[in-house]
Amino acid sequence: EEETDELIDAARSSGFKQSLVASTRQATADGAELSADLILEEGRTSTSSTVKRTTPVAAAAISRAAFLAGFSPFCAEALQVVHYDPGQKYDLHNDWFDPSSPYYADRMRARGQRIVSIFCYLTDVEGGGCTHFPQVGKRFKPKKGSAVLWFNQDTSGNMDERVLHAGEEVTAGDKWGANIWIRERPPDR
């Protein structure tokens, strides 16, 4: 419980902005991402903050998540804390990079695909805010200190369409979470 509160405090000190969807990203040596082109997407209404992977609480969370997934923590992007007020949501989406995107080649060259996604719940939510995977019929209710982990590729190495998911609208209270995305390889040093 203390760690979840620490992550929220670290994110607050970094500052929150409207959550955006990146169309081009490059990683720095510490795992932070420099975005060349960020776009506002109507279906993503939360605010977010990047917590550098060198922040002790973020480093601990990333290390634990990478260990559980069987990857090096150096393959993780910087941790992203998200905040949803009542009425906010993130419509159906995949975390993996779409091969039809004009920026796909740049992403693959930089660090490769997002292989694993981990969404950590930093608070309980009074109403709504579930993570819903409609293609597999699963809905996860936010519970402080818990997480959902999924692989973005199937056993043949193809992007898995079944991991299409949404952050459902928060109907009461607010929701705090953390995204940890693990890529194929660490950033170039």
Side-chain angles (χ1 to χ4, degrees), residues 16-173:
F16 278 83
K17 295 181 180 173
Q18 174 66 46
S19 294
L20 301 171
V21 177
S23 56
T24 283
R25 288 186 173 183
Q26 295 175 331
T28 61
D30 73 352
E33 301 230 357
L34 303 173
S35 299
D37 189 15
L38 293 173
I39 56 174
L40 183 64
E41 189 176 274
E42 288 181 24
R44 187 175 192 191
T45 58
S46 62
T47 56
S48 60
S49 176
T50 299
V51 180
K52 290 183 180 179
R53 41 183 303 122
T54 54
T55 304
V57 67
I62 289 169
S63 292
R64 188 176 313 111
F67 174 77
L68 288 170
F71 284 83
S72 165
F74 295 107
C75 292
E77 295 180 25
L79 187 142
Q80 180 192 65
V81 172
V82 292
H83 177 246
Y84 296 82
D85 282 321
Q88 293 184 320
K89 62 183 170 67
Y90 192 178
D91 288 341
L92 286 171
H93 65 283
N94 283 303
D95 289 348
W96 44 265
F97 301 126
D98 185 348
S100 68
S101 163
Y103 304 105
Y104 180 75
D106 292 337
R107 288 180 171 146
M108 294 308 102
R109 193 171 26 263
R111 298 195 51 198
Q113 190 56 267
R114 282 181 173 165
I115 302 296
V116 178
S117 295
I118 302 102
F119 188 79
C120 309
Y121 298 103
L122 304 181
T123 59
D124 294 324
V125 179
E126 290 177 40
C130 294
T131 305
H132 183 214
F133 292 82
Q135 295 190 19
V136 293
K138 296 289 182 189
R139 180 176 272 110
F140 297 92
K141 182 177 171 38
K143 181 173 174 19
K144 185 176 183 173
S146 65
V148 180
L149 180 151
W150 63 93
F151 287 81
N152 291 307
Q153 290 182 327
D154 63 23
T155 55
S156 300
N158 300 310
M159 297 294 77
D160 194 340
E161 296 285 346
R162 297 172 302 168
V163 297
L164 181 74
H165 61 285
E168 295 180 330
E169 182 178 333
V170 173
T171 58

